[in-house]
Amino acid sequence: PVAVSDPSAELWQSAARVLDTNWSGDHMVPSRRLYPHQWSWDTAFIAVGLAFVNPARAWRDLRSLFEAQWPDGRVPHIVFDPATAEDDYFPGPGFWNVPAYAGRRARGSTGIVQPPLHALAAWEVYRHAAAHGADGVSEARTALAWLYPRLVAQQEYLTDRRDAGGSGLASIVHPWESGLDNSPAWDEALGNVPADLALLERFPRRDLAVAHAAHRPTDLDYARYIGLVRNYRDGGYSDTDLTQRHPFAVECPAFNSILGTAELALAQIAGVLGLTGDARRHRDRAREITAAIARRLWDPVTRTFRARDARTGRLSPARCVSGLLPLMLPDLPADRVTAIMEEARSERFGLPAPSADRTAATFDTRRYWRGPVWINVNWLLRRGMLVHGLRGEAEELRRAMLRLVHEHGHYEYFHPETGEGLGAPTFSWTAALCLDLLA
Ligand code: 9YW
């Protein structure tokens, strides 16, 4: 008989191999060369895929991340691997110089956050535990019980300390906190951030040594990024009076949709742990966050969700993929669901959705978050479709994502016109989410 190769089986195996290669003992790296440490929201996406092939590693990875949680509840966006040289990534632990009160493990971390996707990830790993037998279930319950109070502290940090605009939404204090690093959504707010180009002479860009300059942020933006870190750091990473003390505070629709989704995942987890009062509170919080997103971040003129500058009150003029992610929220009003799907299907996006509006002057097919397709945000978008019962659209998107990865590889991101793989070639979250899409 002729051996018939099964493309799904091949893809599954190559994805599992990427996750094996990128495992570093007690955590996963996003990619060996470009990102040799642990990144916060990567850990969540990765756990979703590890749930199928190695749940013990999913729990270990989440645990490694939350061991570096600060006493105020913030979960750092990077936990640095002490075994990796300081100059392998800039800005490294020396530049972040986090205060002693952050705790021993957090000393080797950054002081900013990323989208709080971990409750959803923990719930997903738990949901699949039964497939790994009785031991898998008992491991999952123990892990959930350990994580739950930490996940709650993470939410409370974001909803209390980070409500810079007093609107019931969390503000990000740095574009890196969005995970959509140099999205055009930040351009207008970044215009108010001083750019000290001399900083780049003192701290040369390490990212340009390992990635194409045409894919990466410009020097002007990079100088602002470093200046923002320095300002937040020099203020002791305090969130008091943020809008006066810090030149960047923005309410992102994707970050806040994930914040709301996390409350719903926490409600499920609380249910498993027998905490019914907590579960009710989490559901109420999710409804409040949804209402705040629908009120604060909706532009009635263009019928799209936008980022809002908490300092100036202005909505960003840029249409970005982040504006499609409120679809993840089940209580989103029906007219907003319709508007998001119309925008997603329009010539500005299309499926899989590029990171930014194809018709905008800022659209750039190769530059980081300003045009390329990312699997992680499309995976979130697909979840949103399923939440609203849009099964046909969800299936179409699932197939489109798998086609892209099957034809081009487990790349970090993809050219929005040709599908060419860009950035790191064996990228953990692309591989992990493929496993989920194939399962
Ligand atoms: C950087 C690790 C991270 C992701 C971010 C992505 C990128 C880091 O890589 O940022 O140095 O530019 O934008 O979402 O977590 O994969």
Short mmCIF file of all heavy atoms in Angstrom, two decimals, residues 30 35 39-42 77 89-90 114 176 178-181 207 216 368-369 374 376 412 427 429, ligand 1:
data_model
loop_
_atom_site.label_atom_id
_atom_site.label_comp_id
_atom_site.label_asym_id
_atom_site.label_seq_id
_atom_site.Cartn_x
_atom_site.Cartn_y
_atom_site.Cartn_z
N PRO A 30 9.23 31.69 24.12
CA PRO A 30 8.45 31.90 22.89
C PRO A 30 9.21 31.44 21.66
O PRO A 30 8.65 30.86 20.73
CB PRO A 30 8.22 33.41 22.86
CG PRO A 30 8.38 33.86 24.28
CD PRO A 30 9.41 32.94 24.88
N TYR A 35 13.53 35.41 21.67
CA TYR A 35 12.95 35.68 23.01
C TYR A 35 13.36 34.58 23.99
O TYR A 35 12.58 33.67 24.27
CB TYR A 35 11.42 35.74 22.91
CG TYR A 35 10.91 36.68 21.84
CD1 TYR A 35 10.09 36.20 20.82
CD2 TYR A 35 11.22 38.03 21.87
CE1 TYR A 35 9.60 37.06 19.84
CE2 TYR A 35 10.74 38.89 20.89
CZ TYR A 35 9.93 38.40 19.87
OH TYR A 35 9.45 39.24 18.91
N TRP A 39 7.62 34.81 28.65
CA TRP A 39 6.68 35.94 28.46
C TRP A 39 5.31 35.57 28.98
O TRP A 39 4.84 34.44 28.78
CB TRP A 39 6.58 36.29 26.97
CG TRP A 39 7.46 37.43 26.56
CD1 TRP A 39 7.09 38.73 26.38
CD2 TRP A 39 8.87 37.39 26.27
NE1 TRP A 39 8.17 39.49 26.00
CE2 TRP A 39 9.28 38.70 25.93
CE3 TRP A 39 9.83 36.39 26.28
CZ2 TRP A 39 10.58 39.02 25.58
CZ3 TRP A 39 11.14 36.70 25.94
CH2 TRP A 39 11.50 38.00 25.60
N SER A 40 4.67 36.57 29.61
CA SER A 40 3.43 36.29 30.33
C SER A 40 2.28 35.76 29.48
O SER A 40 1.77 34.66 29.72
CB SER A 40 3.00 37.55 31.08
OG SER A 40 1.70 37.42 31.57
N TRP A 41 1.83 36.52 28.47
CA TRP A 41 0.63 36.01 27.78
C TRP A 41 0.97 34.87 26.85
O TRP A 41 0.13 34.05 26.53
CB TRP A 41 -0.21 37.13 27.16
CG TRP A 41 0.15 37.73 25.84
CD1 TRP A 41 1.40 37.95 25.34
CD2 TRP A 41 -0.78 38.20 24.84
NE1 TRP A 41 1.31 38.56 24.11
CE2 TRP A 41 -0.01 38.74 23.77
CE3 TRP A 41 -2.17 38.26 24.75
CZ2 TRP A 41 -0.59 39.30 22.64
CZ3 TRP A 41 -2.75 38.82 23.61
CH2 TRP A 41 -1.97 39.33 22.58
N ASP A 42 2.26 34.75 26.45
CA ASP A 42 2.68 33.57 25.70
C ASP A 42 2.39 32.32 26.52
O ASP A 42 1.90 31.31 26.00
CB ASP A 42 4.19 33.62 25.38
CG ASP A 42 4.55 34.76 24.44
OD1 ASP A 42 4.32 35.92 24.84
OD2 ASP A 42 5.07 34.50 23.34
N HIS A 77 5.51 40.97 32.77
CA HIS A 77 5.37 40.57 31.37
C HIS A 77 6.51 39.68 30.90
O HIS A 77 6.34 38.87 30.00
CB HIS A 77 5.10 41.78 30.47
CG HIS A 77 6.21 42.32 29.62
ND1 HIS A 77 7.34 42.94 30.16
CD2 HIS A 77 6.36 42.39 28.28
CE1 HIS A 77 8.11 43.35 29.16
NE2 HIS A 77 7.55 43.03 28.01
N TYR A 89 18.97 39.97 25.77
CA TYR A 89 17.70 40.64 25.51
C TYR A 89 17.74 42.01 26.16
O TYR A 89 18.15 42.16 27.30
CB TYR A 89 16.52 39.82 26.07
CG TYR A 89 15.19 40.43 25.71
CD1 TYR A 89 14.59 40.18 24.48
CD2 TYR A 89 14.55 41.30 26.59
CE1 TYR A 89 13.40 40.78 24.13
CE2 TYR A 89 13.36 41.91 26.25
CZ TYR A 89 12.78 41.64 25.02
OH TYR A 89 11.61 42.23 24.68
N PHE A 90 17.32 43.01 25.41
CA PHE A 90 17.26 44.35 26.00
C PHE A 90 15.82 44.86 25.90
O PHE A 90 15.19 44.69 24.85
CB PHE A 90 18.19 45.34 25.27
CG PHE A 90 18.13 46.70 25.89
CD1 PHE A 90 18.86 46.96 27.05
CD2 PHE A 90 17.29 47.69 25.39
CE1 PHE A 90 18.76 48.21 27.67
CE2 PHE A 90 17.20 48.93 26.00
CZ PHE A 90 17.93 49.19 27.15
N GLN A 114 1.10 42.03 30.92
CA GLN A 114 0.54 41.72 29.60
C GLN A 114 -0.92 41.28 29.80
O GLN A 114 -1.35 41.11 30.93
CB GLN A 114 1.35 40.61 28.91
CG GLN A 114 2.48 41.13 28.03
CD GLN A 114 3.15 40.04 27.22
OE1 GLN A 114 3.16 38.88 27.60
NE2 GLN A 114 3.72 40.41 26.09
N TRP A 176 3.90 47.82 25.20
CA TRP A 176 4.27 46.40 25.38
C TRP A 176 3.25 45.66 26.23
O TRP A 176 3.15 44.43 26.15
CB TRP A 176 5.67 46.28 26.02
CG TRP A 176 6.77 46.72 25.11
CD1 TRP A 176 6.71 46.90 23.75
CD2 TRP A 176 8.12 47.04 25.49
NE1 TRP A 176 7.94 47.31 23.27
CE2 TRP A 176 8.81 47.40 24.30
CE3 TRP A 176 8.81 47.05 26.70
CZ2 TRP A 176 10.16 47.77 24.30
CZ3 TRP A 176 10.15 47.42 26.71
CH2 TRP A 176 10.82 47.78 25.52
N SER A 178 0.13 45.68 25.97
CA SER A 178 -0.99 45.20 25.16
C SER A 178 -0.67 43.86 24.52
O SER A 178 -1.55 43.11 24.12
CB SER A 178 -1.30 46.19 24.06
OG SER A 178 -0.23 46.23 23.12
N GLY A 179 0.64 43.54 24.40
CA GLY A 179 1.06 42.37 23.62
C GLY A 179 1.06 42.67 22.12
O GLY A 179 1.60 41.91 21.34
N LEU A 180 0.42 43.78 21.73
CA LEU A 180 0.34 44.17 20.31
C LEU A 180 1.28 45.35 20.14
O LEU A 180 0.87 46.46 19.81
CB LEU A 180 -1.10 44.58 19.96
CG LEU A 180 -2.22 43.73 20.58
CD1 LEU A 180 -3.59 44.35 20.30
CD2 LEU A 180 -2.18 42.31 20.02
N ASP A 181 2.55 45.10 20.40
CA ASP A 181 3.51 46.13 20.72
C ASP A 181 3.43 47.43 19.93
O ASP A 181 3.18 48.47 20.48
CB ASP A 181 4.93 45.57 20.64
CG ASP A 181 5.14 44.44 21.63
OD1 ASP A 181 4.14 43.95 22.20
OD2 ASP A 181 6.29 44.05 21.87
N ASP A 207 17.36 44.24 19.69
CA ASP A 207 16.39 43.55 18.82
C ASP A 207 16.83 43.57 17.35
O ASP A 207 16.57 42.64 16.60
CB ASP A 207 14.97 44.15 18.98
CG ASP A 207 14.88 45.62 18.56
OD1 ASP A 207 15.83 46.37 18.82
OD2 ASP A 207 13.84 45.99 17.99
N ARG A 216 10.63 45.73 12.60
CA ARG A 216 10.63 46.18 14.00
C ARG A 216 10.23 47.64 14.10
O ARG A 216 10.19 48.36 13.10
CB ARG A 216 12.05 45.99 14.58
CG ARG A 216 12.54 44.54 14.56
CD ARG A 216 11.85 43.67 15.57
NE ARG A 216 11.98 44.20 16.91
CZ ARG A 216 11.40 43.65 17.98
NH1 ARG A 216 10.65 42.59 17.86
NH2 ARG A 216 11.57 44.18 19.17
N TYR A 368 5.94 44.62 12.54
CA TYR A 368 5.33 44.20 13.77
C TYR A 368 3.99 44.83 14.11
O TYR A 368 3.92 46.02 14.39
CB TYR A 368 6.35 44.62 14.83
CG TYR A 368 6.73 43.50 15.70
CD1 TYR A 368 7.13 42.31 15.13
CD2 TYR A 368 6.64 43.63 17.08
CE1 TYR A 368 7.44 41.26 15.95
CE2 TYR A 368 6.96 42.58 17.88
CZ TYR A 368 7.35 41.40 17.32
OH TYR A 368 7.63 40.37 18.12
N TRP A 369 2.93 44.08 14.13
CA TRP A 369 1.59 44.50 14.57
C TRP A 369 0.99 45.64 13.76
O TRP A 369 0.03 46.26 14.18
CB TRP A 369 1.56 44.87 16.07
CG TRP A 369 1.92 43.71 16.94
CD1 TRP A 369 3.11 43.51 17.61
CD2 TRP A 369 1.11 42.54 17.22
NE1 TRP A 369 3.08 42.30 18.27
CE2 TRP A 369 1.87 41.69 18.06
CE3 TRP A 369 -0.18 42.14 16.84
CZ2 TRP A 369 1.39 40.48 18.52
CZ3 TRP A 369 -0.66 40.93 17.32
CH2 TRP A 369 0.12 40.12 18.15
N TRP A 374 -1.38 37.46 12.88
CA TRP A 374 -0.92 36.68 14.04
C TRP A 374 -1.96 35.60 14.35
O TRP A 374 -3.16 35.86 14.30
CB TRP A 374 -0.81 37.59 15.28
CG TRP A 374 0.58 38.00 15.64
CD1 TRP A 374 1.39 37.45 16.58
CD2 TRP A 374 1.33 39.09 15.08
NE1 TRP A 374 2.60 38.12 16.61
CE2 TRP A 374 2.59 39.11 15.72
CE3 TRP A 374 1.06 40.03 14.09
CZ2 TRP A 374 3.56 40.06 15.40
CZ3 TRP A 374 2.03 40.95 13.78
CH2 TRP A 374 3.26 40.95 14.43
N ASN A 376 -2.36 34.12 17.31
CA ASN A 376 -2.98 34.23 18.64
C ASN A 376 -4.21 35.12 18.64
O ASN A 376 -5.24 34.77 19.21
CB ASN A 376 -1.95 34.68 19.69
CG ASN A 376 -1.44 36.08 19.47
OD1 ASN A 376 -1.38 36.56 18.34
ND2 ASN A 376 -1.05 36.74 20.54
N GLU A 412 6.14 33.11 13.73
CA GLU A 412 5.64 34.07 14.70
C GLU A 412 4.48 34.89 14.11
O GLU A 412 3.49 35.16 14.78
CB GLU A 412 6.81 35.00 15.09
CG GLU A 412 6.51 36.01 16.18
CD GLU A 412 7.72 36.87 16.50
OE1 GLU A 412 8.78 36.71 15.83
OE2 GLU A 412 7.62 37.69 17.42
N PHE A 427 7.79 29.10 16.54
CA PHE A 427 7.26 29.98 17.57
C PHE A 427 6.24 29.22 18.43
O PHE A 427 5.30 28.61 17.91
CB PHE A 427 6.61 31.19 16.89
CG PHE A 427 6.43 32.34 17.80
CD1 PHE A 427 7.52 33.02 18.32
CD2 PHE A 427 5.15 32.76 18.18
CE1 PHE A 427 7.35 34.09 19.18
CE2 PHE A 427 4.97 33.83 19.03
CZ PHE A 427 6.08 34.51 19.53
N TRP A 429 3.66 29.93 20.58
CA TRP A 429 2.19 30.04 20.64
C TRP A 429 1.54 29.62 19.34
O TRP A 429 0.41 29.11 19.35
CB TRP A 429 1.72 31.37 21.20
CG TRP A 429 1.69 32.59 20.32
CD1 TRP A 429 1.42 32.67 18.98
CD2 TRP A 429 1.90 33.94 20.76
NE1 TRP A 429 1.46 33.98 18.57
CE2 TRP A 429 1.75 34.78 19.63
CE3 TRP A 429 2.19 34.53 22.00
CZ2 TRP A 429 1.89 36.17 19.69
CZ3 TRP A 429 2.32 35.91 22.06
CH2 TRP A 429 2.19 36.72 20.92
C1 9YW B 1 9.52 42.15 21.90
C2 9YW B 1 7.08 37.23 23.04
C3 9YW B 1 6.57 38.62 22.80
C4 9YW B 1 5.03 38.68 22.79
C5 9YW B 1 4.53 40.05 22.34
C6 9YW B 1 5.20 40.42 21.04
C7 9YW B 1 6.72 40.35 21.17
C8 9YW B 1 8.52 41.28 22.55
O1 9YW B 1 7.10 39.06 21.57
O2 9YW B 1 7.19 41.33 22.06
O3 9YW B 1 10.69 42.13 22.30
O4 9YW B 1 9.19 42.85 20.94
O5 9YW B 1 4.76 41.66 20.58
O6 9YW B 1 3.12 40.02 22.22
O7 9YW B 1 4.54 38.40 24.05
O8 9YW B 1 6.53 36.34 22.14
#
